Structure formats: C-alpha cells, structure tokens
Amino acid sequence: MVVLAASICTKGGKAVISRQFRDMTRTRIESLLASFPKLIPTNTQHTSVETEEVRYVYQPLEDLYILLITNKASNILQDIDTLHLFARVVSDLCRSADEREILKNAFELLGAFDEIVSLGYREQVNLMQVRSVLEMESHEEKIQEIIARNKEAEAKEELKRRAKQLEMQRREQQRRAAGGGGGGSSYLGGGVTGYSPVPRFEAPELSTSSTSRLNTTTPSAPARSPAFKGSGMKLGSKKTKQAELLDALGGDVLASTNISELSAPVAAVHEPPPTVQKVSGRGSLPEVEAQSVHIIIKEQISLSLLRDGGVQSMELKGDMNLQVTDPANAHIKITLASPSTDFGGSGLQFKQHPNVAKFAPGQPRIVALKDSSRAFPVGQSLAVLKWRYAGTDESNVPLSINCWPSPSNDGTCEVSIEYELENEHVTLYDVVISIPLPDGSYPTVSSHSGEWSLDPSSHSLAWSIPVISASDETKTGSLIFNVGGVDVGAFFPVEVSFIGQGSLAGVAVASVDKVNGDEAPEYSVDAFVTADEYLVV
C-alpha cells in the first residue's frame, strides 16, 4: 500500500488542503484533483475510481470530498480503512465540514495526516493516539507555567510596593521642603543627594545620627562638601525631628535636658531585641501575634483526584518549628493535643529532631529535649517535629471537587463544578479553582458562588472563593457555565490552590510548660497548610 496524497477538495475538484507523501509537484496534484470529479460514476455506491496511473479512494464530506490518491497496486481494503480514519480525524478537529472550518484548522489537520501516513505507508495508530499526539500535554510544562505566573504576580506586587514607597518618600520630601523656612528653594535646587535619605530615619535614630553628625567630624565630610546646601537642609530637618521628640517627652524634660544630653543615652541603648521569624506568602491568612514562645505548624499537601471519583495519589508533609526569644523560657516542654481527626490512621508517621525525645506509647505526646538540663536555642527557629502521610484514602481529602461536563447536540458543553469542605478543622483562604477551556471557546457563566475571571495566559476559567469555612454557607459552592466544544477531556486537569488555617493531620498544641514546674510561659501558635499540587485529572 502506497498513499501518494491525502486531500480535501470541493465537488468541482478545487483543493482545500492536500498532503503529499511522495514527491509530487503542485501542478501534478492539482491536475489529479481537477480530473477527479469527472471520473465519479453516477448512480453507483462505489467509493473508489481508477485511472491508468492512480486510484482515487474517496468519501463525501457534506459539500466536500475527502480522498486518498494511491497507486493501483495498493490494498483497497486498507485504503478504505485509512480513509475512514482520516474522516474521523477531520470530524474530531472541525466543528463542521465546510471549507472555512477546514482552512481554519489546516495546520492541525495536516499534522494529523502525518501521524496516520508516513512516507506513503499507514502507521498503526487509532483516533485516540492521534489526538494524544496532537495535544502534546506536558505536566511539567504546566507546572513551570504556574511557577512563572506566580513569579510574575509577585514581581508586579513588589513593583507596586516600591512605587508606593517612592511616592511616600517624594511627598515627605515635599512636606519637609515646604516646612524648611527661608532659603528652601535654594536647598531644593542643591539636588537630591543630601535630601533623599530623610524619610528613612525614625525619631530615635534621627536623634542619635543627627547628634553624631553635629558633634563629630568624619572622614567622609570633605567628600560631601560639594553638596553643602543639601547637607544644610538635612541639619535643619533633623533639628525639627528632635524638637518633636522633646515635645513628646514632656515639658520637664524639655526644660532640663538639651539635645546632646538626650542623644547620648539613646545612642548607648542600641542592641536590637531578638526577632521572630515571619511567615511569607500568607495571602489573606490572619496574622498571629508572636509571643516569647512561638510555634509554627506548617503542612504541605500534594493531591491528585480522579475525575470519576477516588484518589490517584496523596502526600502530606508537615513540620513544627519552635522559636524562643526569651532565654528565661528556653527550658520548656510542649504537650500536643489529642488528634481532632483520625487523619491517616497508622499511615501518619512522626519523626523527632535527634535531640528531642520520642513519643512514649500510650502516653500524651510531648515534645521535649532528651536532656532536660539543656535548653532550646534562643533567637532562632528549630524544627523539632516532622510528620508525613502518603496514601489513597478518600476520607482524608480536605476539599472535594466534582467537575461534570455534559456535552449537548448543538456542539456546546454545560460544565457544572462544585466543591465541599470535607475537613472541618481547617479554614481555607484565597481558594482559586482553575478549569481549562477548549481552544478558541469562551464561557457563559449562568450561576456561581464567589467570583470568576478568565486567565488569558492559560486560557482557563479561574473561580475564586475568598474564604471556605465549615461554620457558614461557604462550606459548599458551585459554578455552572456553557462553552463551545464537546470534548470532556478538555476541561481537565482542574487545578486548585489555597492556603488554610489549621492542621489537616490534627496536630495542635495543648500546653507549653517549664521543665522545672515554674509558671507556664505565654505562647502563640501559627498553624497553616498550603497546596503544593492539587489536581483533578
């Protein structure tokens, strides 16, 4: 069997698209197609016709013909089977078999033709395999696109923040210039060099730095002499800030203390207190005021749900970080609360830090150092406990997603998608459910909870729900839309992103006590969970 060409032509023999699998000139193929309609016999059901040189195997396609031009030695039965596969591919890729639609999808059709026939010989493929090759979907590519979009969004937020900061600095400069008194215009003309640092100073730091610059000669002074006017402007501004500080301290201090006496003790007390590590990327998650003993419970879930129900894969990783800022509270032990949910069962595995004692069987779970005479490190974060779960138990799914496309006879599809919060011990924030859309189609949303928008970069519908809580009507929600296309596979995979408050595994702190039995310190707990990968495939 040798297929010379596969073509779609009009009933008059004009080529719409044609793919040659052997060396043939354009004039030759146009001549063969032009003579084809004249060879079709009338009042017959045959789907092939021969000439002295070639054989035409054809099939009507509404107002067009789809045909294969083969040599006369080819197997007619294989030719007919190949022709039927070509026709199914055309019907799958084009909404209607008219000339305009064929030309619109010409690139995809020619690519499909190449997958069916190679160098004139039929490849052992079916329609599903051809469709899979044409889609060329890559999970890794989608992940990289999501990462790139997140980076772009972060860059835009950072740009807005920097622009706002610069605008505030400019307004502060204008305000100070207006309040600088006589000669202000000449100092403004002196340049930005000596003027721009002003908004960065806080009141105590201004007092310290201004005193040192007023009373101390530094090696950098000669280098700044050309910008003398700018320096003069800074001196006047800093005196104003010091006067404001003295006014805030009260009239008695103002009467008995001068600027240099006030600046000296401020300069002496300059040791910063230990800082508590802040969690970035919180989104709308409520902030937690950190105490001297601050505990961060962080979990990350990767989940792949099947569209017909069930779990393809699920993995939960969690860790507990302890931050102590007061040395007096470094000798402590943390008692965990009884699990509020039977998440994972025996599949949930815990692992302690090498210096932390393991849990005693049948006893309350306590996080404490093996050597009770030692103390937890101060001023730094320490991962004291980790846990992991991997399995396919559907009862552990925190948020169930049901996407149900229903194709109709008019070439459109109604898609109903709904969610339900299954784990009632967490509250989800900034939930975004992204549903892919068929190429070239745009949805018409008939009903929805939350908000929705179109993401042009991925051609998907982004359904946003600010908060999902088990305590109100946001526990469940739905969205219904209509869109062109009947391929239900085009609406998958559905991607979900969120940040949640709480612990899916039910890890919580019951109490924090000192090892020696003294009064228990104040503590704070920041528990949250993020979705590393949450898909419905």
Side-chain angles (χ1 to χ4, degrees):
M1 168 189 174
V2 176
V3 179
L4 304 178
S7 307
I8 299 177
C9 67
T10 63
K11 291 187 175 181
K14 176 186 174 183
V16 180
I17 63 171
S18 179
R19 183 62 167 171
Q20 289 72 255
F21 304 106
R22 294 291 178 142
D23 291 335
M24 299 178 66
T25 62
R26 177 173 179 174
T27 305
R28 173 65 174 159
I29 193 66
E30 288 180 345
S31 174
L32 291 173
L33 293 177
S35 61
F36 163 68
K38 303 173 184 177
L39 301 173
I40 300 177
T42 59
N43 300 326
T44 181
Q45 295 183 352
H46 292 295
T47 58
S48 65
V49 63
E50 296 183 1
T51 66
E52 294 181 357
E53 300 176 349
V54 298
R55 176 188 294 147
Y56 300 92
V57 183
Y58 63 92
Q59 176 180 328
L61 202 66
E62 295 186 9
D63 294 334
L64 305 173
Y65 281 110
I66 179 170
L67 70 151
L68 302 181
I69 303 176
T70 70
N71 59 11
K72 297 180 66 174
S74 66
N75 189 321
I76 184 71
L77 296 179
Q78 291 184 3
D79 293 343
I80 293 175
D81 183 64
T82 303
L83 178 67
H84 289 166
L85 180 57
F86 274 103
R88 289 198 299 271
V89 167
V90 173
S91 300
D92 186 66
L93 293 178
C94 302
R95 295 183 180 180
S96 59
D98 56 56
E99 184 174 350
R100 182 176 179 182
E101 187 71 14
I102 296 294
L103 291 174
K104 179 181 177 181
N105 297 278
F107 183 81
E108 289 78 7
L109 288 172
L110 294 177
F113 287 1
D114 285 342
E115 296 299 328
I116 299 173
V117 177
S118 176
L119 298 177
Y121 296 94
R122 164 73 184 273
E123 297 286 346
Q124 296 301 318
V125 295
N126 54 35
L127 179 61
M128 294 302 296
Q129 291 172 323
V130 173
R131 182 187 298 169
S132 176
V133 171
L134 292 179
E135 288 176 353
M136 294 184 296
E137 290 189 355
S138 171
H139 178 69
E140 289 76 10
E141 181 182 3
K142 289 185 177 181
I143 295 300
Q144 291 301 320
E145 290 177 352
I146 294 173
I147 294 175
R149 290 199 301 270
N150 290 341
K151 289 183 177 180
E152 183 180 353
E154 291 176 0
K156 289 181 179 179
E157 291 298 326
E158 178 66 15
L159 183 62
K160 291 180 181 179
R161 188 187 67 80
R162 294 291 298 274
K164 184 177 180 180
Q165 181 180 5
L166 292 174
E167 178 65 17
M168 292 177 62
Q169 289 184 0
R170 186 183 65 82
R171 292 181 179 179
E172 181 72 8
Q173 292 173 3
Q174 292 179 349
R175 186 180 67 82
R176 295 181 184 282
S185 59
S186 64
Y187 289 120
L188 285 174
V192 184
T193 306
Y195 191 74
S196 59
V198 173
R200 293 201 299 266
F201 289 89
E202 299 295 339
E205 295 176 358
L206 274 170
S207 179
T208 304
S209 58
S210 62
T211 306
S212 60
R213 293 190 182 182
L214 282 170
N215 300 330
T216 307
T217 303
T218 63
S220 61
R224 297 189 179 183
S225 57
F228 178 75
K229 292 182 179 180
S231 299
M233 188 64 190
K234 287 193 295 183
L235 292 175
S237 173
K238 290 172 182 175
K239 286 181 180 179
T240 302
K241 295 296 285 186
Q242 290 180 354
E244 294 175 359
L245 178 61
L246 293 174
D247 290 340
L249 292 174
D252 296 337
V253 177
L254 182 62
S256 59
T257 309
N258 56 34
I259 293 176
S260 60
E261 293 173 343
L262 180 64
S263 302
V266 175
V269 183
H270 193 32
E271 182 180 355
T275 58
V276 175
Q277 178 184 351
K278 297 294 183 181
V279 178
S280 59
R282 297 181 64 90
S284 301
L285 195 67
E287 292 286 346
V288 176
E289 183 179 356
Q291 302 294 334
S292 60
V293 177
H294 187 55
I295 302 169
I296 298 177
I297 298 174
K298 178 173 60 177
E299 292 179 338
Q300 193 173 57
I301 185 172
S302 298
L303 177 63
S304 182
L305 297 170
L306 297 173
R307 67 184 74 174
D308 297 325
V311 178
Q312 186 181 63
S313 63
M314 178 178 181
E315 183 182 35
L316 178 73
K317 294 180 180 179
D319 55 69
M320 175 184 290
N321 288 266
L322 174 63
Q323 300 178 17
V324 180
T325 56
D326 188 353
N329 297 329
H331 293 79
I332 57 174
K333 60 179 180 179
I334 303 171
T335 303
L336 302 184
S338 300
S340 56
T341 176
D342 188 24
F343 183 94
S346 59
L348 183 63
Q349 301 175 349
F350 289 90
K351 186 176 181 180
Q352 287 85 357
H353 186 279
N355 294 332
V356 173
K358 296 185 179 298
F359 297 151
Q363 300 293 326
R365 296 183 295 181
I366 297 178
V367 178
L369 292 175
K370 293 179 180 178
D371 186 357
S372 59
S373 62
R374 297 181 59 184
F376 285 103
V378 178
Q380 69 181 55
S381 177
L382 177 66
V384 294
L385 181 65
K386 293 185 178 182
W387 56 93
R388 180 180 180 271
Y389 167 78
T392 58
D393 188 353
E394 195 171 2
S395 64
N396 296 324
V397 175
L399 182 71
S400 60
I401 304 293
N402 184 15
C403 184
W404 196 282
S406 301
S408 57
N409 296 329
D410 59 355
T412 62
C413 188
E414 182 184 74
V415 181
S416 301
I417 183 167
E418 61 180 0
Y419 71 83
E420 182 174 0
L421 183 63
E422 304 289 351
N423 193 323
E424 299 184 355
H425 300 285
V426 295
T427 301
L428 305 184
Y429 294 85
D430 301 334
V431 182
V432 178
I433 303 175
S434 299
I435 307 102
L437 300 174
D439 293 337
S441 300
Y442 294 93
T444 301
V445 178
S446 55
S447 67
H448 65 92
S449 54
E451 300 293 335
W452 69 272
S453 61
L454 290 179
D455 186 352
S457 61
S458 60
H459 193 61
S460 61
L461 187 149
W463 181 21
S464 303
I465 306 99
V467 181
I468 297 180
S469 174
S471 60
D472 54 31
E473 68 277 1
T474 61
K475 180 180 179 181
T476 61
S478 63
L479 179 141
I480 301 175
F481 65 91
N482 287 273
V483 67
V486 294
D487 182 11
V488 297
F491 302 100
F492 297 92
V494 177
E495 300 177 3
V496 185
S497 63
F498 59 81
I499 183 168
Q501 187 178 42
S503 169
L504 295 177
V507 178
V509 177
S511 63
V512 175
D513 303 292
K514 290 189 176 181
V515 175
N516 58 9
D518 290 347
E519 182 181 357
E522 294 185 357
Y523 68 94
S524 54
V525 179
D526 187 7
F528 63 94
V529 57
T530 59
D532 179 41
E533 183 182 65
Y534 207 105
L535 303 175
V536 181
V537 296

